[in-house]
Amino acid sequence: MIQRIITAIVIAAGLAGCANTKPDLPPNFVLDSDRTDGLVVVSLTLTGKPLDQVISFEYGIRTAVPSAGAEVEQKQHFGSAQQYANWATRGGEHRAATWAAKVKGGSSEPAEILENGKAIGRLVALRLPAGEYEFYTWKIVEQNAYGEMEYGPRQTFSYRFSVQSGKAAYLGRLRLQLDEGTPYNLSIEDMSDVDLTAFRNKYPSIAFEAAVMKEKARQK
């Protein structure tokens, strides 16, 4: 049975294990036309609930689902054990279908985005294979008197974006407003002046394309 591997994504690690706490992208990281993956940068923030009281905060990312009726289903059939071994050796068994973009917990990167002097999130860089993706869920865990409380949306949503081989794109600032006793609110803002200035201070050689995310209809 093919196992899906949920991979923690930190600004430097790209596709890395959940326990991996590597720092930013390598100082010598370069995007070129020979790469099969691309880079997207997004700032992920939380308001309404203090980030310093949160144990972990992450967003779920998955490959985007085509419009209804246009899906293509793929099933690999093997004629021999050797064919399966060849497929697995080349990475077929370990292609991640979902990822986690870590804002807090599982990352060594600081929460550098401030509002009124307090940290509310961080700038995340995602190295992904070329393709169509979407942010579709989020999860927050905080400690209380009885252990831990986990928060998340009851329904999935869809903020879609594209990844192009050898190119970098800025997706915007995804802001989660989470107040006690009220529905959460999720919005996307273009904060490229602030976000990209911070990123270029560390990686001045990486050029970006405008690609702020759009929200699609919520999925039930």
Side-chain angles (χ1 to χ4, degrees), residues 89-153:
T89 300
R90 293 171 181 168
E93 193 172 10
H94 300 290
R95 289 173 183 166
T98 60
W99 297 264
K102 298 283 187 178
V103 184
K104 185 176 181 181
S107 171
S108 62
E109 291 300 316
E112 71 272 61
I113 300 175
L114 305 178
E115 189 169 85
N116 298 323
K118 295 184 177 181
I120 61 169
R122 77 179 186 94
L123 196 63
V124 179
L126 311 174
R127 282 167 53 191
L128 295 166
E132 299 293 322
Y133 298 88
E134 64 183 358
F135 286 88
Y136 73 99
T137 191
W138 52 267
K139 182 175 74 173
I140 289 175
V141 177
E142 67 176 1
Q143 195 160 11
N144 60 21
Y146 308 101
E148 295 179 351
M149 179 68 72
E150 180 178 318
Y151 302 87

Side-chain angles (χ1 to χ4, degrees), residues 173-192:
R173 177 169 294 183
L174 197 54
R175 180 185 293 268
L176 174 62
Q177 178 75 33
L178 186 63
D179 297 301
E180 293 292 342
T182 62
Y184 79 91
N185 181 64
L186 194 61
S187 60
I188 189 74
E189 306 168 317
D190 184 355
M191 299 292 289
S192 54

Side-chain angles (χ1 to χ4, degrees), residues 1 21 31-32 36 65 76 82 102 105 135 147 154 171 190 207:
M1 181 177 179
T21 57
L31 280 173
D32 56 54
T36 59
V65 179
Q76 179 65 54
Q82 185 60 50
K102 298 283 187 178
F135 286 88
R154 289 186 175 179
L171 303 182
D190 184 355

